[in-house]
Structure formats: C-alpha cells, structure tokens
Amino acid sequence: LGLWGEASPSPRRKSPSASRYNDSLNTPATFGVSDGQENDNFMDEDDADATGRSPNLRSPEEKMINNSKEGPVGVQTPLPSENDDYAMEHENDDDNDDDDGMNTAHNNIIFGDDSDSYGPYHNALLTFLQSRERLSKAYSAVQVEDGEDDVMQEENEELAEANAAGEEAEMKFLSSLAEICLLRGSQDGGKVGRGGGSAAAAAAAAGLCEASKNEGNFWDLMTALREGGTDSLFYCVDGESPPDLSLNNDPATMLAMSPAEVLEACLGEDEDGNTSLPLQRLNAALSWIEACLGRNFDEKIANEYKNSSDPILPPPGRRTMWPATVEAMKRKCQTSRGKIHLDAPLQHIFGDRSTSPVNVSSFLESEDEANDARLLRACFMLFQAGRIDEALKLVSDCGQAWRAASWIGGEPLSSDGSGNPTRSLWKKQCREISKQMARVTQVGNSPQTNTRSLHSSIAYEAAILCLLSDDVHNALNNPVFQTWESGVHAVLHAERGIIVDEVLKAHNNTRIEAAEESQTHFPYVGTEFDAFDNNESAPEGCDGDLGAALEQLDSSPLDEIREGSGDPFRNGMSSFLVGQNAVKEYIEECAALSIAAQNEDEACFLRFIAHLVIFIDSVQPDFSSQLSLPQDVGSDGNDDSLCELLLLKYISYLSTRRDLWSHVALYCSLLSVDNILETYSSFLINVHSDQERKMTLQQARDFFPEGLDCCILRNVVREMIISDIPWQHAPGEEGAPAGVNSADARKMRSIHWLCYYPEHWPDALVCSNLLLRIFLLTEGVGTEPSDSNLLACKILCDKMLPDDLADVALMQCEQNDGNVPMSISLPMAQNLRKEYISIDMFLNAHTMYAQFLDVIANTSPSHSSKSKMTGGTQNEFEKGIADKMERNAFRQKKSGLCKIIAKAATRASDALMEVISFSGGWLIDENVSLSEEDTEEAQSRSHEMNAIRSTFLPKVVFMLYEVLDKTASWLEQVVYDTLIQFGSGSEDMLLALFSTFDESDRSNDDDVTMDVLTTSLAAPGYWHSKALSLASVIGNDANMINQVLGSDMERFQTSIAESHVKLGRCSNRDSLFDR
C-alpha cells in the first residue's frame, strides 16, 4: 500500500485514535458545518425519556428535527440524481414489505425495512464514541505522583469524575437506542391503527411495529441493568459462580423495628449505597418490566377511541356500581312473593344465575359485566405497570371503593400505625380466593392460543389477586396474561414478593418467640396470630435466581407466554436477565444467523446485533474477545473477531444503500487498520458524485487515523484506473465528455479523489501520470497519433486536473519531505513533475500540430489576380497606376495568407521542438538513483516511459519535419503562383513579400537579396533550413533521441537529404525565380 515500496501504516488492533470523535468534527450529515457546532444528539438530563421512568417520549430524531433547521445529523445525504434508478426502485420499500410478522430466531428474524432509524443509530453511536474518547483523554491526563497526598487526592477525584462520565455515556447510548426503537414502534403502531392498504401491508406494518417495540424493550432492559453497574448488566459472563442473595441486616435482630422499617433495612441500600447483586438485578428487572407494560397501557389509552371497537376503560359517565344489575334486583324484589333482603346470598335472589360465590360475573347483567370487565382489565394493566394508586383511584371513581379497600392489604405495618397488621392473613386469603377463581378461569393444561381481547370480569379479578398473592402458577394459567411480558412480570413480581414475605416471616417469628420467652401478652402488634403463614400453600421463590424463575414460563399452557421467548429480542431479554453463559450463547447465535443471512430484509436485526456487540466490545473488551462464531458457521478462514465480522457485514449492507452512505465511515473506523483500508477502499470505488465524494472523504479524515485517508485514496484511484470491470452507469455519475468512452471517463474522474486537499496532490500527480501512460500506450498502437486518439489525455490535462498540479505537488513534497509518513520523496516528486510536464508538453505540441494541419489544408497558396484592363481609352500612365495597384493588392493578399501559415507553422514547430529538445531528454527522469526504483511499481513505470519514448519520439520528429516541409512546400506554391500571374515582375513582388516577414536588420539591398531567401518566414528556404537543422538536434546526445529512432533513422536521413536539395534550390535567387 505504501507508494513506491514504502511501508504501510503500523498495524493497530483497533483504529480509533485520540482525536477522531471529538465534538468539533464534521459529522456525516453536516459536511461543511462550521466548527464548534454542537452535535450532542442525546437527550438532556432534564428531558423526559421513554423508558417508563418518565412519562414523556422524545427521541434523538425529534430533538434534531426541532432544534436543527438543517435536519438530523447523520441522516442527510446528497439527494440522488433524477435518473437514479436505485432510488426509484427503493422509493417505496416500506410499502412493498410483504413480511407478515414476527418470526423465531431460527427463521427470518427481520421484519421489513426500518430505514428512518439508521441515522439515529449512527448518531447515538457517534456521541457514545465521542464520550468514550473524552473519557480516555481524562484517564491519560491523570498522572499519580507518589508521596504527594494532595495531588493523589485531586487526581483520584478526577478519575472518579471520569468514571462517572463513562457510566453516563454508556447509559445515554443504551437509553437513546431504546428511545429510537420505541418511537419507531409507536409510529408504526399509528400506521396500523389508521388502517388502509392491503392486508399484507397491514401485517407487515404490525410486524415491524412489534419488532421495534421488542427491540426498544431490550435496550431499555440493558439500561435498567446498567444502572446497577457493569456487573449487573454482564452478570457472571466470565464464568464466575453467581453470588447468593443476601440481606443488608438480619431481621431477627430488629425486634423493636416495625415490619416496614425492617424491609427498608434488609432490602434497601446499605451505608455505602450498595445492595446485594441478585436483589439489585431483580429490582431493576421488575422496574423495567413494569415500565414496558406501562407504555403498553399508555399507548392503548392514547388510542382509546381511535378506530377501536374495544375501549380500555368503561364509559366516562359511569359513577355507580352495576347500575343495570341493581335495577334487575329491584324488579326481582317487586315481583317476588316475599321480600328479599339485599344482604341475602345472591343465590336466593337470582337462583341458578349465580353459579359460584366468587363468580360475580354470573349474575351481572351483560352491560354491567362488559363494563366491569373493562374496568378490571384497566386496573389489572395498572397493577402490572406498578401504578397501584391509579388503579385504586380508577376503581373508586367507578363506584367500587370496596375493591380498592380489599386490594391495599399488602402494605406492611409501619411505626406510625399505617399499613396492615394482619398482612399475612390478608395475603393468604387472597391466595385462597384466587385459587377458587382459577377453577373458573383456567384454560387447562393443554396448549392454548389466546385470541380474545376481552375476557370475563372474574378472569381479570383473579389475575389481580394472583399478583397480590404472588401466585405464579394460577397467573400463568389465566388467559388474561396475554403476552410474554405479562408472564415475565408475574414471575418477577412474585419473586420479589416472596423475598419480602420471607423477611417479614423471619421478623414476625422472632417477635413471637420473644413474646413466648417473656410470657407477656402480645407485646408487638401482629404477634397475636400464630407463626407467619406456616401452611404448605405459601409459594416458594428462587432466592433471586432469575434464570430459575423464568423457567416457570415454560409450564404455561398459553402459547403467547410459553413461546414468546422464541422472538429474538425477547430471547435476548431472557439471556441478559439470566446472565452467565446465556449471554454468550445468545450473541453468538444471533451473530451467526446475521452473518450467514443472504436476505437484505434482515438488515434491521443485523443492525441490532452489530450495535450490541459494538457496545460490548467498548465496555467489556475481555468478554468480547471470548465471542466467536460457531464452528459450523464458516468465516472463510478469517481470524477477525466477532465484532469485526459483524461490522464488515453491516458495512457491506450500508454500502449497498446510497441513502445510507453517510454512515459507512463511522462503522469502518471501528475496524482494524487493514480492514479499514480494504473495506472503505472498496466502498469509495462506487462513489461518483462530487458532493458524496467530498462527504465520504471528509468523514475518513475525521474518523480514521492520520494519513490513512491518503492510503485509501491510493487504493481507490489505482483500482479504478487499472480495473477492467465492464462499465455500468452508477448513481450520481456524470456523463462522459464527447469523444471519450464512459469507462475512460470514469478513470479520468477517479483522479478527483486526490484533488480535494493539497496534501493529496503528490499522489494525484502519481495517478495522473499512471493514467496518462496507460492512455498513451493504448493510443500509441496506431501509425500516427490522431487528435481523436489523444482526446482523453488532453481532456484530462486541460479540463479535469488543476492547472498547477505538478508545481503544488512538488511544493507539498518539499514541505513534507521526511516529516510525513508514506510521503513521496522530493527527488521522486521532481521526477514525477518532469514526467507530467513532458506528457503535457507533447499533448500541447500535438494540438498545435493538428491545428497546423487543419490550417494548411484549408488555406490555398494560389489565388487569381483581378483581370488586367485591356483596350479602352486609358493612357500609359493610368495603366501603370492600375498595374501597380493590382500588384500591391495581390501582394497584400499573399502576405495575409503567409502570415496565417507562418503563425500556425511556428507554433507547431516550436511546440514539437520543445518536446525533442526537452532538457535532460523527454520522459527521462531527472533523478535516476532512487531507492524507489527498486520497487515493482517503479520498475513498471520505467518500462512504460521507455515504451512511450520509443513510440512517440520518432513520431514527434517526423511530425516536426512534416510541419517544416509542408510549410516550405506551401510557400513554394506561393512563389509559383506569383510567377505564373506576374511573370518577370514577380521577383520584386516576392522579395518585398519576403522582406515583410524578415525581422533581421539589413543595411543594403544586396543583403536583402541574398539572405532574405533563408531568413524570412515567408521564404521557403527558411523552413527548409529549419528542417535541415533537425539533424543537429537529433544528433545531440543530450536529447537522447538517437537510441529511440532505430529503424526510422534511415528514413530520417533520407528526409534530411531531400531538405538539403530543396534548400539549395530555394536559397538561390536564380533557381527560385527561374520558372
């Protein structure tokens, strides 16, 4: 990769440098934005997020749209051209997605195109890398000096601040990805709700909506776990044994404290703010799942009356309990023979209509039953969301305050007397009632698919009691737990509740023992009851082992709960909740599926797993190094890490989407140096628009190690120049200039890559010379270089390359000589400059030659004089005057014609002579003893230059001779034409004509007569003498022409001999005018 054999950059495992992600960089969407513009795309700390811990939802997309008039950072790309076939083909990707929903991790795992979220993903990663870079700089700046306590304390504080900043950056990255996906899910949900379109399109939108929400829930879980530290997020992934759940204090030693205070002391944070890791993860997971279910509830409420035939809440006007049923009871009392007391059992009132003492729905009127089911469903959803106060208020507002009172018995007794002193009895009773209700609501042990949107009211009431009593078994058999998330919540809520019960049980039993020992009469409230719920019906927990707890989901007969983990995102949530080896297995399985996938529709999941592994590689590099593809998934013998392989796959996809080209550089920057060179070079070969080239090159300079952009451009330009791939029009590519084929035009425009920054101009000079040599060797096959053959070379030099390319390139090498790695040496740059000037000089000479041929072909040396007047009444004097006027007019006409020919011939001959007599030899290196000459590329260059010299120098010699000889012959025709028309009087006319073009200083007429025949530009002898002087030029060893003439030397000598004869004839007055 190094030019002329110089070494390529020293390899680094990871390429990000210390200054590539700083805030002042021009990011992809803001190419050309002024320095200092903020690019922080994360939400401010005061902004609300969508994780459930705050009510509002604002994504980076919304912030950027609202705060920037120029559009989202990283999303703007140059608009495709009007004839961009690719853009037209992909314009309606979202509408053409026929995927009909979610699939398992073992099948298609991607569900349509998620185009509008690639930019926010990119922005989130960019800001994360910027934050990580600032953290790295902070660590580097801290230098601990032993023996200086003040300095060490100050630096320890700086390290603490740096660590806090690093944790904040990680949290912001994860929460931003969650917001991006959740916003996408809500937007797609709106599309589904609006309806319209085909059934397949609606199914695809629904599938994409669910996939986006599930992915958002995954990143939200990552955020919740990360709040407890990396040990909480990456739980025992390095193979260590999971820690046991421990309490901060022993409840048996806290006799004087109330149950509420005991819970706070045992399950809360200790003096250092720490909690047992299993308990901390359980609390985080429970808060997370409640937030997920809370978002689901809020979304349903937001769409309450939007095309919904099943509203979540009962009618807003309802403020009494069961109004239709009460009216029916009144009517029943009026028609009955005897009076019916309202407190009598329901069976006495309704008879067979009431089949169960716990099944209230069996005697309710249908209207009341439906409204009651909706009410209890809403309360159940609020219980799942952890918003119990809202559920209590809702049920009270609907005239059922007794329900609210029956649901609040779980509060432990506090020191101020609030709470339930008989909590254990209340919970036991809830459990018993839920079991009785379960007999009515359970779906059985056979697998079932839950398709109903509204169940009976008793099903929802039973579900609430299952949550209150931590009854997982009956919960997982209740059909109202319709999703995997509902099942997870039931398990985690019960696990937490059982731990609370164990603490209170130990505390209460100790109190009872103390009361028995003191033989006092119930000294503590609550000890008037026997030992705390010692019956065998109490549920058993898993001591904070989330893996064992989640295994209970497999026993559910409901397909939605049991098979929900088959979804790849839910599978990931389970894996991170379980921790240990499950995380590694999940990542490796998903990576294998993504890398092996051939369908571009699966790019969304590839994007997900790529960003997950990027995050892991950044914060847990040791764990990331353990990740690998399964043995049955080949990597073509590639030794790259799993992160590297995923990045390569993701970059490959981004490269196929022109609208995503602005994202490629950032992800490439995370690769190793060798992969950056190969991958970004391959990508840039397909970028043809000038605006897109500037953008992608600026990104390379911003994100890649210093100097690597030049190495990449060398690869790109050389590959485009020497490639023989059949040409096909690419998006953004301009049409070829007239007379140049499209493949050559692409090669010529490839040099533009190296012309945007002056430090690249030396390489632009190298590649320009390379392309010119290729063109010249190709066109040199013909017998004579015609103007059309060399058109591409001329357009390249005259219209596509900077006028001062060679001079600026040399100046750059003078400034950087020996200071910039991989730079071209100054002697080599001098050789390159001379090569370029030599070729440019030849092309200019050829243009002059072609113009001369055109002029001489279209300018006749002969023209007729006006007819002499004969007869008439003119006297001799008048005839003399008329004849003199005629001669003057004829001579002036000839003078004008000669001036045209002489000018064209002079320009052409001078330009061609410059090529032949070029100082040091045309296409001969100025510095021949260079170390670069030992490289294969330098030797190839030397051979090509010799071939061009051998081909074109003889042609230049004969082109020059042709110009001189044809000019002399044309002027001889002028002499002949004058002699024919004016006879003996022509000599004076011609000498006067010659004198007009003679710039030498003459003192007498004899000198004029004798020398003007060889010194005047209008005299044939002048041009014959110049042709004859070619012999001395060719014979000059300094010009190094003899060695390239070869077999053409004899032809040249013959031409020189002919010129000698012609000069003898034209330089003699008698022989020239004797016709």
Side-chain angles (χ1 to χ4, degrees), residues 259-307:
E261 292 172 335
V262 170
L263 287 179
E264 177 63 26
C266 294
L267 302 182
E269 297 180 349
D270 60 15
E271 296 178 355
D272 298 328
N274 299 321
T275 308
S276 173
L277 184 57
L279 181 59
Q280 176 184 300
R281 298 184 80 249
L282 174 59
N283 292 335
L286 182 57
S287 298
W288 159 74
I289 196 64
E290 288 178 347
C292 293
L293 295 170
R295 285 193 296 270
N296 182 53
F297 176 77
D298 291 338
E299 182 179 348
K300 291 183 180 298
I301 292 297
N303 298 324
E304 174 75 0
Y305 298 105
K306 295 179 180 178
N307 300 324

Side-chain angles (χ1 to χ4, degrees), residues 310-336:
D310 181 26
I312 297 297
L313 300 176
R318 176 179 173 179
R319 288 292 180 269
T320 59
M321 183 177 70
W322 308 331
T325 303
V326 170
E327 290 296 326
M329 292 175 64
K330 291 179 179 179
R331 290 193 300 270
K332 184 74 174 177
C333 293
Q334 293 173 358
T335 58
S336 299

Side-chain angles (χ1 to χ4, degrees), residues 101-316:
M102 302 290 290
N103 299 298
T104 67
H106 301 286
N107 298 312
N108 264 349
I109 50 181
I110 300 306
F111 325 95
D113 183 20
D114 201 5
S115 302
D116 57 352
S117 60
Y118 285 90
Y121 260 86
H122 170 278
N123 299 329
L125 178 60
L126 175 59
T127 308
F128 173 65
L129 293 175
Q130 290 173 343
S131 301
R132 297 285 296 181
E133 181 183 49
R134 290 192 292 270
L135 175 63
S136 177
K137 290 181 179 180
Y139 273 116
S140 301
V142 175
Q143 297 179 352
V144 178
E145 299 181 10
D146 295 337
E148 298 184 13
D149 295 338
D150 293 339
V151 175
M152 293 180 63
Q153 181 178 359
E154 181 179 350
E155 290 173 344
N156 288 335
E157 292 176 356
E158 293 179 1
L159 283 175
E161 293 177 359
N163 287 329
E167 294 178 1
E168 181 182 2
E170 295 173 18
M171 293 287 295
K172 279 191 173 183
F173 176 67
L174 296 173
S175 61
S176 282
L177 294 185
E179 292 169 33
I180 292 167
C181 298
L182 293 174
L183 176 63
R184 172 68 176 178
S186 64
Q187 290 173 339
D188 292 329
K191 295 178 182 178
V192 175
R194 286 193 296 271
S198 64
L208 183 57
C209 172
E210 183 177 1
S212 299
K213 290 179 181 178
N214 289 342
E215 184 181 355
N217 290 339
F218 173 87
W219 292 116
D220 194 22
L221 172 62
M222 296 280 286
T223 306
L225 293 177
R226 179 60 185 84
E227 287 180 353
T230 54
D231 291 340
S232 173
L233 178 57
F234 301 101
Y235 185 63
C236 302
V237 295
D238 293 326
E240 64 270 28
S241 298
D244 295 330
L245 189 149
S246 60
L247 303 178
N248 294 333
N249 295 280
D250 185 1
T253 63
M254 303 177 179
L255 296 178
M257 299 179 67
S258 68
E261 292 172 335
V262 170
L263 287 179
E264 177 63 26
C266 294
L267 302 182
E269 297 180 349
D270 60 15
E271 296 178 355
D272 298 328
N274 299 321
T275 308
S276 173
L277 184 57
L279 181 59
Q280 176 184 300
R281 298 184 80 249
L282 174 59
N283 292 335
L286 182 57
S287 298
W288 159 74
I289 196 64
E290 288 178 347
C292 293
L293 295 170
R295 285 193 296 270
N296 182 53
F297 176 77
D298 291 338
E299 182 179 348
K300 291 183 180 298
I301 292 297
N303 298 324
E304 174 75 0
Y305 298 105
K306 295 179 180 178
N307 300 324
S308 176
S309 59
D310 181 26
I312 297 297
L313 300 176

Side-chain angles (χ1 to χ4, degrees), residues 483-514:
T483 63
W484 177 83
E485 287 78 9
S486 295
V488 171
H489 175 265
V491 169
L492 296 180
H493 186 274
E495 186 68 19
R496 167 72 182 182
I498 292 171
I499 294 174
V500 170
D501 287 348
E502 291 294 331
V503 173
L504 294 178
K505 178 180 179 180
H507 180 248
N508 194 60
N509 289 345
T510 303
R511 280 185 159 190
I512 292 176
E513 293 174 1

Side-chain angles (χ1 to χ4, degrees), residues 291-463:
C292 293
L293 295 170
R295 285 193 296 270
N296 182 53
F297 176 77
D298 291 338
E299 182 179 348
K300 291 183 180 298
I301 292 297
N303 298 324
E304 174 75 0
Y305 298 105
K306 295 179 180 178
N307 300 324
S308 176
S309 59
D310 181 26
I312 297 297
L313 300 176
R318 176 179 173 179
R319 288 292 180 269
T320 59
M321 183 177 70
W322 308 331
T325 303
V326 170
E327 290 296 326
M329 292 175 64
K330 291 179 179 179
R331 290 193 300 270
K332 184 74 174 177
C333 293
Q334 293 173 358
T335 58
S336 299
R337 295 179 181 179
K339 291 185 177 181
I340 299 177
H341 197 280
L342 293 179
D343 292 333
L346 295 177
Q347 289 89 339
H348 293 178
I349 302 177
F350 292 100
D352 294 338
R353 280 183 57 186
S354 181
T355 59
S356 169
V358 297
N359 188 4
V360 177
S361 62
S362 62
F363 69 85
L364 293 180
E365 295 294 322
S366 59
E367 178 183 355
D368 288 343
E369 162 59 16
N371 289 333
D372 228 33
R374 290 191 173 93
L375 172 64
L376 292 174
R377 179 178 62 180
C379 291
F380 167 66
M381 296 175 72
L382 288 170
F383 268 91
Q384 286 185 310
R387 292 148 64 173
I388 299 176
D389 291 342
E390 294 181 41
L392 299 179
K393 185 177 187 303
L394 175 62
V395 75
S396 298
D397 289 345
C398 291
Q400 299 185 23
W402 61 272
R403 288 192 189 273
S406 69
W407 289 342
I408 61 175
E411 289 295 324
L413 184 65
S414 63
S415 58
D416 60 2
S418 62
N420 186 6
T422 60
R423 178 181 183 278
S424 62
L425 296 180
W426 169 85
K427 198 162 188 178
K428 180 180 178 180
Q429 191 65 23
C430 288
R431 191 176 300 119
E432 294 299 326
I433 297 175
S434 71
K435 288 181 180 179
Q436 294 184 47
M437 291 182 172
R439 299 188 183 99
V440 180
T441 61
Q442 279 186 358
V443 297
N445 296 324
S446 59
Q448 300 287 330
T449 301
N450 192 358
T451 58
R452 293 182 60 183
S453 60
L454 183 65
H455 296 269
S456 63
S457 60
I458 190 175
Y460 295 107
E461 187 167 10

Side-chain angles (χ1 to χ4, degrees), residues 994 997-1000 1002 1011-1019 1021-1022:
F994 294 163
F997 291 87
D998 185 15
E999 298 178 357
S1000 60
R1002 306 296 177 184
D1011 297 334
V1012 76
L1013 301 181
T1014 57
T1015 59
S1016 174
L1017 293 177
Y1022 172 81

